Every structure is written in C-alpha cells, then in structure tokens.
C-alpha cells in the first residue's frame, strides 16, 4: 500500500481507503462488515470513511463495535464522520452546518463510533442558510477541543472552499484541508478542472467517492445477473434512474473490452484510473462482498499499464475529457 500526505497536511493517508455508505448497518450483516474492515486494514488501508446519515447512524454504530473488538492501535488508522443531512433528521435543528448541529453531530458520531476523537470531520454539503463564519469557527473550535483533528468539505464548489479559507485567514483559524467529491471515469469536472488551482494555492487534499459509479463501472449491469446489486435496491431507484442509461452502458461495454485487452478486470482498471491522478489523495472503496474488495484492493497493480498512450486511448473511449479554461 502506498501512503501520501493528505494535501499539504502532515497526515499520511493510504491511497486506497474504505467506506460504509449503503452497506454497513443496512445492506450487509455485521460479520461481513467486520470481514471487510479486516481485509482493508490487513492490506494497509488506514482510513475508514463514515457519516451521520449512513443508515441513519447505524453505520457508525457498526463500525464502532468492530473497532472496539480489534487490537488495532488507535494511532494506526483514521476515522471520519460527516455532518449535514442528520442521522434521521426530523426537525430543522438536526441538520445543516450550524454551530448547534455540527457540535451535536460530532458528539453523537463519537458516541456511536465509541471514539475519543475523529481524525477527519466533513461538512457533507454546503449550507447556504448558515454564515460561513459560523461553520469555520465551529470546526476550528472542535479542533481546539481535541474532538476532531482535521476538517474538510464534501461536494463544495471551489468558490465555497476559498470563502472558507478567506474566513479562516481573516480570523487566524484552521481552514478546511480536504474535499470529498465524486470522481470516476464518468464524473470528472470537479477534480480535473474546478479545483485545479486550489490544489496549489491552499494545498487541498481529496478523498474521492464512488470510484466505480456505485458499481456501474464493474460492468455487472451489462448482463444484470446480480439481483442483490446496489442499483436494484428499491430505496435507490433514484440512483438507478440516473445511472442505468444507454449512453453510460455503451461506455462501460467498451471499457470492459478495453480492460480485457489489457489483461485486467474492469473494477481494477476503473480504480487504478482514479489513482493515476496525483490530485487524488485517496480513493474510497466500497464493497458488499469480500471478493469485491479483494479485487479492488489489488488495483494499484494495474498502474504500470496506464501509460500515456493507454490513458489517451481511454480518453478517446470516454469522450468526456474536461476542457480547461484558456488561462
Ligand atoms: P463504488 O462506486 O466503488 O461502489 C461500491 C459498490 O460497487 C459496492 O458496494 C458494490 O455494490 C459494488 N462493487 C464494488 N466492488 C465491486 C466489484 N469488484 N465487482 C462488482 N461490484 C463491485 O463506491 P461507493 O459509491 O460505495 O463509495 C465509496 C465510499 O465513498 C462510500 O462508502 C462512502 O464512504 C463514500 N461516499 C461519499 C459520498 C459523499 O457525498 N461524500 C457519497 C457516496 C459515497 P453491490 O455489491 O451492492 O453491487
């Protein structure tokens, strides 16, 4: 496993990490969750991603129980939580990025995860109804209190991230050091264009999500044999509607052929393609079955095959290479 600095911080993160969205406390049993965490940790993964909203808090509870059973030293791994959507929010104070919700969500996540501090704490989405000053001061104070070590954003625009940095600089506060955006062969703009300046200016690190576009980039939906797969889950009809379309299917079919010619599997090619981008600090893997994780944990072995020629050929196939503005 390779490790890299998370942006300009001193924090070393494994280039492959592991997340629990949809799976822990929901799609899979706790013993499978434990097996997956064991496999990840044994392969050198040091970052486990979570959020208050995953299975409405259950995902954090399951991860906390697993971590408690292990003899892993606390200084050998990182755990995150994210606040914004609430853990089954019923009233307005239970969501958003207000001081009240950020502090309460942090305390609740620590309780569910049975931890003393979070390594990373993300603002899961921007909150236009809360002043930026309130959010930045709150995150800074949580760091001062030792409840979180680093803070970041998820799916914020470059402008919002810079606004947070402006507020932090004006007040001598600690700003966000990491962003968690979607990035995969089908979704490229934020990582490849929008943030391109702020990797340099603020030293932004990234923990990217859905490297397989929720499993679409495994190629399994081309034959549709896996009835238990994510995009067949009733509660994810909205996601299936977005992803199970003719255009992406054509690309996935071509990618599958391409992977076969290279002599690798499509999930490994798709994850390695994300790893190839130096602005990606860590690729967060997801899995519902041990064999899936065993496959994607080997993705770095594909990197030597991703020469400039191969990357160019993939761009021709993908037809979505973002155009950089001419400045
Ligand atoms: P992926 O796009 O990699 O999708 C993972 C899913 O794809 C698995 O659960 C499994 O689903 C299927 N899969 C994985 N490996 C294989 C394989 N080898 N062959 C076939 N199918 C496979 O990642 P996620 O969407 O799960 O995102 C990863 C993590 O990122 C999340 O757990 C979460 O921590 C984070 N995240 C953050 C978000 C944010 O807003 N900040 C949003 C979404 C995710 P199945 O078996 O059910 O088909």
């Amino acid at each position: 496993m390779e490790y890299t600095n998370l942006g300009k911080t001193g924090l070393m993160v494994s280039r492959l990490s592991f997340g629990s969205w949809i799976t822990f406390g929901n799609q899979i049993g706790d013993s499978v969750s434990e097996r997956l965490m064991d496999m990840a940790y044994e392969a050198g993964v040091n970052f486990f991603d979570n959020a208050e909203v995953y299975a409405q808090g259950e995902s954090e509870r399951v991860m906390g129980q697993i971590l408690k059973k292990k003899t892993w030293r606390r200084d050998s791994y990182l755990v995150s939580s994210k606040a914004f959507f609430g853990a089954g929010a019923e009233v307005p104070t239970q969501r958003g990025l207000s001081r009240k919700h950020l502090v309460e969500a942090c305390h609740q996540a620590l309780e569910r995860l049975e931890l003393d501090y979070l390594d990373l704490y993300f603002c899961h989405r921007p909150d236009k109804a809360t002043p930026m000053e309130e959010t930045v001061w709150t995150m800074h104070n949580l760091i001062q209190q030792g409840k979180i070590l680093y803070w970041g954003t998820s799916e914020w625009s470059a402008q919002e991230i810079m606004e947070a940095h402006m507020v932090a600089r004006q007040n001598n506060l600690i700003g966000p050091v990491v962003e968690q955006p979607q990035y995969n062969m089908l979704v490229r703009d934020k990582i490849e264009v929008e943030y391109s300046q702020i990797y340099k200016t603020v030293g932004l690190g990234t923990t990217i999500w859905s490297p397989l576009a929720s499993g679409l980039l495994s190629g399994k939906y081309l034959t549709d044999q896996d009835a238990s797969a994510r995009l067949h889950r009733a509660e994810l009809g909205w996601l299936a509607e977005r992803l199970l379309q003719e255009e992406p299917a054509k690309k996935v079919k071509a990618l599958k052929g391409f992977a076969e010619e290279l002599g690798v599997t499509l999930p490994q090619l798709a994850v390695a393609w994300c790893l190839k981008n130096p602005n990606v600090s860590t690729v967060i893997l997801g899995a519902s079955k041990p064999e899936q994780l065993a496959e994607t944990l080997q993705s770095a072995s594909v990197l030597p095959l991703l020469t400039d020629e191969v990357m160019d050929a993939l761009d021709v196939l993908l037809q979505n290479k973002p155009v950089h503005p001419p400045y």
Side-chain angles (χ1 to χ4, degrees):
M1 180 65 66
E2 270 199 40
Y3 299 83
T4 189
N5 287 79
L6 185 64
K8 70 166 186 194
T9 73
L11 186 66
M12 297 303 282
V13 65
S14 51
R15 292 217 67 214
L16 292 175
S17 42
F18 183 59
S20 59
W21 182 50
I22 307 288
T23 51
F24 283 34
N26 183 17
Q27 183 185 7
I28 62 179
D30 298 356
S31 59
V32 180
S33 301
E34 182 175 348
R35 175 83 194 103
L36 293 169
M37 280 185 69
D38 280 338
M39 286 174 69
Y41 188 79
E42 280 159 19
V45 164
N46 75 357
F47 168 39
F48 298 104
D49 187 60
N50 221 318
E52 59 171 359
V53 70
Y54 296 172
Q56 308 202 337
E58 263 320 290
S59 165
E60 291 181 337
R61 210 164 275 125
V62 170
M63 193 175 277
Q65 282 162 9
I66 294 169
L67 287 171
K68 201 172 176 192
K69 275 167 81 176
K70 301 294 149 192
T71 51
W72 308 340
R73 285 178 54 136
R74 179 66 184 92
D75 56 9
S76 68
Y77 61 85
L78 321 172
V79 178
S80 72
S81 183
K82 312 186 202 80
F84 175 80
F85 296 104
E90 286 170 357
V91 296
T93 48
Q94 293 170 335
R95 62 194 316 276
L97 302 180
S98 66
R99 177 172 298 118
K100 180 169 173 65
H101 184 62
L102 285 176
V103 168
E104 287 173 348
C106 178
H107 290 168
Q108 287 159 10
L110 290 175
E111 203 180 309
R112 288 188 291 259
L113 286 160
E114 302 184 54
L115 296 175
D116 298 328
Y117 60 90
L118 299 170
D119 299 275
L120 303 175
Y121 191 35
F122 290 92
C123 295
H124 210 158
R125 290 295 179 268
D127 177 1
K128 296 189 190 331
T130 298
M132 189 63 83
E133 282 78 4
E134 183 172 337
T135 297
V136 177
W137 268 105
T138 305
M139 295 306 242
H140 174 85
N141 287 339
L142 285 169
I143 292 177
Q144 299 297 305
Q145 292 163 9
K147 300 215 163 119
I148 65 173
L149 303 187
Y150 300 86
W151 78 276
T153 57
S154 180
E155 294 293 332
W156 283 31
S157 66
Q159 189 182 336
E160 287 157 341
I161 295 170
M162 287 316 292
E163 196 188 332
H165 275 277
M166 234 169 58
V167 169
R169 269 181 212 164
Q170 277 163 355
N171 297 282
N172 278 330
L173 307 176
I174 300 172
V177 296
V178 56
E179 156 66 32
Q180 186 168 129
Q182 181 175 186
Y183 185 55
N184 55 53
M185 284 172 152
L186 304 174
V187 178
R188 304 175 60 168
D189 281 16
K190 264 184 153 50
I191 280 275
E192 293 188 29
V193 180
E194 186 173 342
Y195 301 146
S196 54
Q197 289 306 308
I198 58 179
Y199 298 125
K200 290 175 235 154
T201 52
V202 303
L204 188 76
T206 60
T207 62
I208 65 106
W209 58 266
S210 285
L212 298 184
S214 271
L216 185 72
L217 285 167
S218 69
K220 67 182 168 192
Y221 293 96
L222 293 171
T223 49
D224 237 3
Q225 282 162 351
D226 185 356
S228 68
R230 179 182 298 183
L231 297 178
H232 296 314
R233 294 181 69 76
E235 83 267 21
L236 293 173
W238 59 274
L239 189 60
E241 206 168 301
R242 201 182 290 169
L243 292 173
L244 297 179
Q245 297 292 339
E246 209 174 309
E247 272 310 301
K250 273 192 212 154
K251 287 184 185 175
V252 173
K253 195 169 176 200
L255 284 167
K256 199 162 190 299
F258 193 98
E260 276 160 17
E261 271 176 40
L262 268 186
V264 301
T265 71
L266 181 50
Q268 288 175 340
L269 175 65
V271 171
W273 182 90
C274 297
L275 282 175
K276 175 89 178 165
N277 188 326
N279 294 316
V280 169
S281 314
T282 184
V283 175
I284 314 177
L285 302 175
S288 67
K289 299 182 179 81
E291 55 270 28
Q292 295 175 343
L293 191 60
E295 184 175 11
T296 50
L297 280 171
Q298 294 300 321
S299 301
S301 65
V302 174
L303 279 172
L305 301 178
L306 299 188
T307 59
D308 290 349
E309 292 72 33
V310 167
M311 292 301 276
D312 287 346
L314 282 168
D315 276 335
V316 170
L317 192 158
L318 289 169
Q319 293 286 310
N320 61 2
K321 190 177 167 73
V323 181
H324 284 256
Y327 47 82

